[in-house]
Amino acid sequence: MSSNAVAVYVRQSVEHAEGIKRQLARCRALVESRGWTIAETFEDNATSATKARGAQSAWARLLASPHEVVVSVDLDRMVRSQRDLLTLLEAGKRVVTVDGEIDLSTADGEFRATMIAALARFEVRRKGERSVRANADRVARRGLPVPGKRRFGFELRNIEERPEEADQVREAYKDILTGRSLRSIAGEWGRPPVRVREILTNPSYAGWVVRGGERFEAAPEVARIVDRDTWHAVQDLLADEARRVSPGPQRKHLLSGIARCECGASMRALSIYYKCSADSSHATIYRRDLEPHVKGYLALDLFQEAGKPGEAALGPLAGKLRELEEERDRWTRAAGLPGASFPLIEKELNRVGLEIQAVAAQLAESRVSNHVQRLLRHMADATKDLVEEEDGSVTMDLGAWLEYFDALDLDAQRTLVDNRLTITVTKGRGLDRVRVESRTEAHPGLQGLRVEQRP
């Protein structure tokens, strides 16, 4: 050895200061017994040797250091794979361990180190296999989540809910069902929209544990933050491509891109007006006139809709879907039996597959419809001051309605308007040039509405 100055390397998989201190004390005792001095200490705390250690790790700095001799508690603290051992050899390091010196510059030392590294790797693999089996049993049989990173809305171990966060999650599910966008929720949370989508599509919030892409019923002690009906309805809505967040400017006004000029082009908000986006000489109208006018028509349309039959029963549809899925499984298993008729099995699988698609679509529509019906009932209460006049026109007190509608998120407001109404503006003066029609077949004609703001 050309110098008495050596480096010391310590590592442990979990963060625990006492463990690092004990390793340092043992290494320091060896160094002093040899009459050496410690030139530099490298510590990797809470760092597993089974995973890549990055450029900022103590391991990377050790390899780049000029120190020839490295002291560690044992070789297992430094290398857990043949790759790590080869890296040490290429770096020209000589390793001395508390349990006995290993000189990597000799054939004998390299052989001993190779055997130790191989045994360490074997133990790591065996431990990993035991962990996989234990986790599979924990999820599939016991219905408990695998220990890991804390999920938003849950406490550590992901079993009990964290009330403040869980309330945020529940509110986000409700917001999606009332038309709010992922982007606006993400802005409120201070998270990327893609992260909000990951949260809302995670089955864990509805009482499932997931392993290998398969869902298992969670144990009774695992918190259910939202009910299954709500979770499924949100999945149906988020599956709509129109809800996928794309880059571009966010709408800031109620009717931008929704109202149309008589030429067919959309109207956009400019200053205090809505103007035709295709030709500035076409229709122009004050925002302060058009927006309350459209809100009044929307109130009437929703009030009429709210009188329709209430929520659909989901149980029979869900039961039918389960029966079809079980039938599909039976035909699939039949393909493996001796003498199976593959043409018949293929025909039946195609039939069952089409029925599953139809029932699943009907179930998805019913789930969303149920939540719409709840929203409509609320709106019916907000518009209870509607009064039918003798001449067939309707006079509406907008007070309660505007209070409810204006409190909604802009995305929810725009979704309601765009889904329920078509708005066309022609050139001229006054509101008579505004044609508002319902998209609902039951009551497409909304003309003749007179909107009054009563004190």
Side-chain angles (χ1 to χ4, degrees):
M1 191 186 312
S2 57
S3 171
N4 287 336
V6 300
V8 170
Y9 178 81
V10 291
R11 182 199 61 78
Q12 63 181 1
S13 298
V14 294
E15 186 171 0
H16 184 53
E18 291 301 317
I20 289 292
K21 288 180 179 178
R22 284 195 295 270
Q23 290 185 47
L24 287 172
R26 295 184 67 192
C27 291
R28 191 174 295 111
L30 174 64
V31 169
E32 292 175 355
S33 69
R34 299 291 183 90
W36 300 337
T37 59
I38 299 176
E40 193 171 358
T41 299
F42 299 89
E43 299 180 17
D44 271 328
N45 199 1
T47 304
S48 172
T50 61
K51 298 179 181 179
R53 289 171 277 188
Q56 302 303 316
S57 67
W59 167 256
R61 297 197 306 273
L62 168 68
L63 295 175
S65 73
H67 309 299
E68 176 185 350
V69 178
V70 183
V71 175
S72 188
V73 171
D74 55 48
L75 192 63
D76 193 36
R77 292 291 96 191
M78 300 192 68
V79 301
R80 301 295 291 271
S81 68
Q82 299 286 349
R83 178 181 300 177
D84 283 350
L85 180 58
L86 180 60
T87 301
L88 273 176
L89 289 170
E90 291 176 344
K93 303 299 182 185
R94 179 183 173 192
V95 180
V96 178
T97 67
V98 174
D99 296 330
E101 184 173 348
I102 298 177
D103 188 348
L104 296 182
S105 65
T106 67
D108 179 68
E110 183 177 336
F111 174 75
R112 289 177 58 209
T114 300
M115 294 299 296
I116 292 173
L119 288 171
R121 179 60 179 168
F122 168 72
E123 181 57 32
V124 167
R125 289 288 300 274
R126 186 167 62 177
K127 181 180 178 182
E129 290 171 355
R130 288 197 300 265
S131 177
V132 167
R133 289 193 297 270
N135 287 339
D137 177 76
R138 180 182 177 89
V139 172
R141 188 177 65 83
R142 300 168 59 197
L144 295 173
V146 174
K149 184 178 179 181
R150 185 183 74 83
R151 188 174 296 112
F152 184 72
F154 287 90
E155 297 290 356
L156 291 174
R157 298 172 59 240
N158 297 316
I159 292 178
E160 298 176 351
E161 70 174 53
R162 180 169 289 187
E164 289 185 6
E165 293 180 358
D167 287 344
Q168 282 185 268
V169 172
R170 278 188 282 267
E171 190 68 22
Y173 277 94
K174 185 178 75 172
D175 287 343
I176 290 294
L177 292 173
T178 55
R180 193 175 182 188
S181 70
L182 284 171
R183 176 157 33 194
S184 65
I185 296 173
E188 182 178 293
W189 285 11
R191 294 168 177 258
V194 66
R195 176 63 184 133
V196 176
R197 177 180 284 275
E198 288 174 358
I199 290 173
L200 296 178
T201 55
N202 192 325
S204 302
Y205 294 100
W208 283 295
V209 286
V210 181
R211 184 162 183 81
E214 186 175 359
R215 294 201 299 251
F216 301 90
E217 187 69 29
E221 61 265 34
V222 178
R224 274 73 169 164
I225 290 181
V226 296
D227 61 82
R228 297 278 171 85
D229 181 25
T230 298
W231 188 87
H232 279 299
V234 168
Q235 307 320 299
D236 296 332
L237 289 174
L238 293 180
D240 182 357
E241 288 295 325
R243 282 185 167 270
R244 294 194 175 275
V245 176
S246 58
Q250 187 174 4
R251 299 290 190 182
K252 297 180 180 179
H253 301 282
L254 177 63
L255 301 177
S256 295
I258 297 176
R260 296 275 168 180
C261 174
E262 60 185 325
C263 73
S266 62
M267 302 192 74
R268 58 180 177 176
L270 290 173
S271 183
I272 59 176
Y273 304 99
Y274 284 110
K275 291 178 175 285
C276 174
S277 60
D279 191 326
S280 59
S281 67
H282 287 189
T284 298
I285 190 169
Y286 282 111
R287 284 167 39 205
R288 67 169 185 261
D289 292 337
L290 183 60
E291 290 182 357
H293 191 66
V294 169
K295 291 176 186 179
Y297 278 109
L298 178 63
L300 176 60
D301 184 62
L302 291 170
F303 184 80
Q304 291 175 319
E305 180 75 11
K308 289 187 175 182
E311 299 178 18
L314 301 180
L317 284 173
K320 178 64 175 176
L321 185 59
R322 283 194 298 271
E323 290 176 3
L324 288 169
E325 289 173 341
E326 290 172 359
E327 184 180 358
R328 180 180 58 188
D329 292 341
R330 287 196 298 271
W331 282 112
T332 301
R333 290 194 298 270
L337 298 176
S341 173
F342 292 107
L344 174 62
I345 291 173
E346 183 179 7
K347 177 182 176 181
E348 291 301 317
L349 283 174
N350 287 335
R351 175 188 62 79
V352 174
L354 291 174
E355 288 189 40
I356 286 175
Q357 290 180 14
V359 174
Q362 189 179 356
L363 183 59
E365 183 178 348
S366 296
R367 287 186 183 118
V368 176
S369 175
N370 281 358
H371 286 279
V372 171
Q373 285 296 329
R374 294 167 199 165
L375 178 62
L376 293 179
R377 285 200 302 273
H378 189 120
M379 290 182 173
D381 291 337
T383 56
K384 61 186 177 182
D385 291 328
L386 279 173
V387 178
E388 187 87 17
E389 299 289 351
E390 292 183 359
D391 61 1
S393 64
V394 175
T395 301
M396 182 189 301
D397 180 355
L398 283 181
W401 162 249
L402 290 177
E403 182 179 353
Y404 173 81
F405 185 82
D406 291 343
L408 295 175
D409 179 86
L410 179 61
D411 289 306
Q413 295 177 1
R414 286 176 53 84
T415 297
L416 283 169
V417 173
D418 197 25
N419 286 345
R420 308 294 306 183
L421 305 176
T422 61
I423 305 145
T424 306
V425 183
T426 62
K427 291 185 66 174
R429 294 180 178 275
L431 291 173
D432 291 341
R433 62 199 176 102
V434 179
R435 185 171 72 253
V436 182
E437 296 180 340
S438 174
R439 296 183 185 271
T440 305
E441 295 180 1
H443 44 93
L446 292 175
Q447 297 304 315
L449 172 70
R450 183 168 71 256
V451 177
E452 293 182 2
Q453 180 75 51
R454 295 177 183 169

